[in-house]
Amino acid sequence: MNRLPSAEKPENRLGPRSSSSDGASESRLKAGLDQARPQVHVVLGNEACDVDSMVSALVYAYFLHKTVGGETVHIPLLNIRQSDLVLRSDNVFLLNQTGLSPDLLVFRDQMDLPALQRAGRLRLTLVDHNVLPSSDRDLEGVVVEVVDHHLQERDPSTCSVTVETVGSCCTLVAERVLQKAPDILDQQLAHLLYAAVLLDCVNMAPAAGKVTPKDSQVAAALEMRFPGLPQRGALFQALQKAKFDVSGLNTQQMLLKDMKAVSGSLSLVISVLYVPLEDFLRPPDVEDELTAFCRQLSLDLLVLMTISFTDTQQPVRELAVFSHSATCRDQLSQHLEQAQNPALNLSPLSSPHPHITAYHQGNMLASRKKVLPLIKDFLREEDGGGDMEEDSRVPPTPMNSLVDGCPLDGGLPGISAQALQEKFCKMADRPDL
């Protein structure tokens, strides 16, 4: 199976590293890591790693560290590769805003969870999901707790399960902290939690259908305890703007940022781009870059769907089909032109590149969610019937419309015990936490 290409590591533009000052806590963590077989309790977010998942893991691991104590090392693990953080632009924005350096975070490609499990050293808490993906199913035996806000899919088990369909998992995490250990909250932790709740609950707007009474209660409690938090509307708008910010991303990163893969006898990817199609296609070497991207993933077809906005904030949708196979490109293009459920209302655009067929999309409501079934129908016709499957290399796109690379690459841990200890001590034992 091909692995998705890893995003290049961006230049670190975030806040300064935190410094450790609590000598007792640092000594306790260091002692745990210096043992021959230290116990490690990992708090694992979902493989989409949106803001809600990231903050849930960070805050809940810190909560366990402060309340459980002992010699077990509590680690928040971001369920993506370190190099892919740049693709989560709203995550990066929030880290920057709260002064938390990504150098303090631990990513999926830096820890070998199966090796820790085989050594009898691993305990696992799941946040923002309640069922492990098939690729992680062997870790089920070490799951000790679940905190999630999605539909309950978990089979009955002996572990502690908190599943409540509120708007944000951080609502449940914040509720736990406020009830059990309110003294550990400070401005930074409150800011992280508050931002995640606002983002997932669409600025607490009832019309969006996301917010519940508990979300509102938690947001109000954080506002009351920390009156210096950013104003709701301003923070939400800043996060929304950051979510779609692609400045500084190269072509590969832009394709990876918000991507779905589906395959039958043909392999195809749909990437959503947050720039006008003309701007994306302007570089003279863009076709070479698309060719390289398709070669890395063994793709037959690449569909580009763009959404951008005019000066008056009117949406503009465009669509392009890329393939070196004229037959594949023409057949898919014709299928989309003739589609009726929904009709995309495609109008041809001139393309400066011979292997790209470009369109203006007149149907503004036809998002990728509505176009994907049309593409599956095309693949099904090519195969003479049968079921199409979304490629398991690409985890489900989160609500926040972020990319999902392939976060489950195996291999040896990329981080030493000493480096892990230093990261977590600096994050968890700051004087203001």
Side-chain angles (χ1 to χ4, degrees), residues 380-396:
R380 192 175 294 112
E381 291 175 6
E382 290 296 302
D383 287 357
D387 294 330
M388 296 296 106
E389 295 185 358
E390 292 190 20
D391 198 318
S392 61
R393 292 173 293 166
V394 185

Side-chain angles (χ1 to χ4, degrees), residues 46 48-50 88 258 260 395-404:
N46 65 44
C49 195
D50 59 5
R88 276 67 168 176
D258 195 343
K260 285 280 190 181
T397 302
M399 184 190 75
N400 289 351
S401 299
L402 299 177
V403 73
D404 306 289

Side-chain angles (χ1 to χ4, degrees), residues 69-352:
E71 295 182 343
T72 296
V73 182
H74 297 90
I75 302 296
L77 185 61
L78 275 62
N79 206 352
I80 55 171
R81 294 174 297 187
Q82 182 182 28
S83 60
D84 287 338
L85 179 63
V86 65
L87 305 177
R88 276 67 168 176
S89 49
D90 45 354
N91 296 44
V92 173
F93 173 84
L94 182 59
L95 291 171
N96 188 25
Q97 192 177 53
T98 55
L100 182 58
S101 170
D103 292 338
L104 303 178
L105 308 182
V106 184
F107 297 84
R108 186 59 191 259
D109 56 344
Q110 295 178 320
M111 291 190 72
D112 189 338
L113 298 185
L116 288 171
Q117 180 191 29
R118 290 192 297 271
R121 298 162 52 192
L122 180 65
R123 300 175 71 193
L124 198 60
T125 288
L126 308 183
V127 291
D128 205 22
H129 62 316
N130 60 77
V131 177
L132 288 166
S134 58
S135 53
D136 273 344
R137 200 58 52 83
D138 289 344
L139 300 175
E140 179 61 41
V142 295
V143 175
V144 296
E145 186 175 11
V146 171
V147 180
D148 186 30
H149 70 125
H150 296 100
L151 182 67
Q152 167 70 287
E153 298 180 83
R154 189 174 184 81
D155 293 332
S157 66
T158 58
C159 76
S160 171
V161 176
T162 300
V163 174
E164 187 174 345
T165 52
V166 293
S168 169
C169 186
C170 279
T171 292
L172 303 178
V173 172
E175 179 185 47
R176 185 76 59 90
V177 174
L178 287 166
Q179 290 177 349
K180 303 291 185 180
D183 292 343
I184 74 171
L185 274 177
D186 76 340
Q187 181 83 15
Q188 184 186 51
L189 289 182
H191 191 156
L192 290 166
L193 290 166
Y194 187 60
V197 172
L198 287 183
L199 192 58
D200 266 19
C201 294
V202 195
N203 202 27
M204 320 308 287
K210 297 290 185 181
V211 65
T212 69
K214 182 169 288 189
D215 298 301
S216 298
Q217 292 164 9
V218 164
L222 293 172
E223 290 169 337
M224 182 175 296
R225 288 176 61 90
F226 300 95
L229 287 171
Q231 190 272 334
R232 279 190 184 186
L235 178 56
F236 176 75
Q237 290 300 326
L239 288 164
Q240 282 290 97
K241 182 179 179 181
K243 182 195 309 181
F244 302 114
D245 182 11
V246 295
S247 60
L249 298 187
N250 59 34
T251 298
Q252 175 181 286
Q253 292 167 338
M254 292 176 69
L255 294 169
L256 286 170
K257 181 175 174 63
D258 195 343
M259 187 176 96
K260 285 280 190 181
V262 61
S263 60
S265 59
L266 298 175
S267 183
L268 181 149
V269 150
I270 313 172
S271 289
V272 177
L273 306 172
Y274 301 104
V275 294
L277 185 60
E278 181 181 4
D279 292 351
F280 181 78
L281 297 179
R282 182 173 294 120
D285 60 347
V286 67
E287 200 170 63
D288 292 337
E289 293 180 311
L290 296 179
T291 299
F293 184 81
C294 290
R295 185 176 296 118
Q296 283 182 283
L297 272 65
S298 299
L299 299 177
D300 299 292
L301 287 155
L302 174 62
V303 177
L304 309 175
M305 296 187 68
T306 75
I307 182 166
S308 55
F309 296 87
T310 66
D311 292 339
T312 58
Q313 295 305 301
Q314 295 302 307
V316 177
R317 287 191 182 273
E318 296 164 304
L319 185 148
V321 179
F322 170 80
S323 178
H324 278 271
S325 167
T327 300
C328 290
R329 186 174 65 251
D330 292 345
Q331 287 179 346
L332 177 57
S333 299
Q334 185 177 25
H335 180 85
L336 295 176
E337 289 174 12
Q338 297 174 353
Q340 294 299 315
N341 188 27
L344 303 182
N345 300 332
L346 298 179
S347 304
L349 295 173
S350 61
S351 170

